[in-house]
Amino acid sequence: MERTWHKPLPAADLVIRGGRVVDPLSGVDTVHDVLVKRGKVAEVGRALAAPKGAREVDADGMFVLPGFVDLHTHLRTPGREDEEDVASGTLAAAGGGYVRVFAMANTEPVVDTAVVLRGLIETARTEAVVPAGFYAAVTRGLKGEQLTEMAELAEAGAVAFSDDGRPLATAALVRRALQYAKVTGRTIAIHAQDDSLFRGGQMHEGAVSARLGLGGIPPLCESLDVARALEVAAYEEAPLHVHHVSAAATLEHLSRAKAAGLRVTAEATPHHLTMTDEAVASLDSNLKMNPPLREEDDRQALVKALQEGLVDCVATDHAPHAPMSKDVPFEEAAFGTTGLETAFAVLYTDLVKKRALDLGTLVTRMSQAPAAIAGVEPPAIRPGAVADLCVVDPRATWTVIAKGFRSRSANSAFLGRELSGRVRLTVAAGRLAWEADA
Ligand SMILES: [Zn+2]
Ligand SMILES: [Zn+2]
């Protein structure tokens, strides 16, 4: 069953010369040429002969990696095409080395019927630069009341179900959602948030929020909701995916659930893996996100969990916002940061270069692990595989600036940061999806 769709582009023919091929799934980390023929990896080896008509790409000193897969993108369409749409969002993805993105259902209208979902699939077939797939909502209108027609939505192509942006607010709702999702063979993903603890919250509850006089969102707001959902999932023997883990306390629940054999997976964002609430003291509204940036202990626990695989994958939670939602006082600003175009460079600069995470693990967590969770073929750089790869120059340093994005929105938490690692080329589903200007 197809889970992603893209526009028809010509199949790529190219030879990528002399890059460091890092493909943990194939057990490869060595300097090789990669020959892509009619969109497929034909050969990986030394001094490969270039067939007639094939492009030569000099990757000397660069990484050649399995392309990244984002389980958590907001493409904002239908409804807010001023912020993002399929074309702009997937081009941003390609520019970040992504070869698959999965979009959340909290659009206007919500993706809660097969009609809306089919419309998006049609758009992806004509506009998506890299293959895009779609979540469907768990409840109609994300209202937390009536379940959507999950069987019909799964049949129409929904990759999974999520009310992201809103929690599943009662145990009964979590239970019914899991029961129905199980029948469809799709997973329920949760935006964990206990509303009674969230209310009025602007940022992480701690010393910084106290100093700034801003309403706090305690880690308990997340960990409590995760704990409950895990209990219900264990009871129903149903799989569960946890969006954007931010708190160390949540990791403890995940660890126990995994040890007990529960089919639970979890994602963490580049911003939660690299930043803390200290940064929010600037009152920069681009640092306002939900869940909020937490404390250094949480951040370090997240990094360790990512290294060990307790957190299965990186997901961007790419959340484009129009300037009118962000160029306002912190208390009035919308939650969210963009992330597709900075994810690899941020994690490479802040974690890999500082030896908090190894490159192979980062590749697994950004590419092959999320692909497996989505139920799509994990990108691999080996003969016979469809070419889903990116070429990254780790020596290239660049500064994140508002004008530099392909995304339609520029609300990045990383504006002004100098980063190492620039994506030079992305081949998605065998098609050249991105090539950086020289
Ligand atoms: Zn969320
Ligand atoms: Zn989200």
Side-chain angles (χ1 to χ4, degrees), residues 213-300:
L214 288 172
I217 305 165
L220 189 62
C221 176
E222 172 182 288
S223 62
L224 195 61
D225 201 33
V226 169
R228 184 179 65 183
L230 289 171
E231 284 267 336
V232 180
Y235 190 80
E236 291 295 336
E237 297 179 4
L240 183 76
H241 179 74
V242 181
H243 289 314
H244 45 51
V245 175
S246 70
T250 301
L251 297 170
E252 289 168 29
H253 295 302
L254 287 172
S255 175
R256 271 197 297 277
K258 284 198 175 191
L262 190 65
R263 283 171 295 159
V264 58
T265 51
E267 61 185 46
T269 71
H271 46 276
H272 290 111
L273 287 160
T274 60
M275 300 175 89
T276 68
D277 64 340
E278 290 290 342
V280 183
S282 66
L283 291 177
D284 175 354
S285 65
N286 287 330
L287 302 178
K288 180 175 177 179
M289 54 274 280
N290 181 22
L293 297 174
R294 300 221 181 259
E295 296 180 20
E296 181 60 13
D297 286 353
D298 297 290
R299 191 194 69 78
Q300 285 185 15

Side-chain angles (χ1 to χ4, degrees), residues 72 74 104 164-165 244 317:
H72 195 147
H74 294 272
M104 287 300 155
D164 184 52
H244 45 51
D317 198 1

Side-chain angles (χ1 to χ4, degrees), residues 61-120:
M62 300 192 196
F63 301 147
V64 182
L65 309 175
F68 311 136
V69 175
D70 193 20
L71 292 183
H72 195 147
T73 298
H74 294 272
L75 290 178
R76 297 296 189 227
T77 185
R80 288 305 304 266
E81 290 78 8
D82 60 314
E83 295 181 328
E84 199 78 287
D85 64 15
V86 171
S88 65
T90 55
L91 186 60
Y98 283 89
V99 299
R100 298 285 185 286
V101 293
F102 293 92
M104 287 300 155
N106 62 339
T107 48
E108 303 164 21
V110 170
V111 186
D112 58 2
T113 66
V115 173
V116 178
L117 178 56
R118 286 195 197 102
L120 278 171

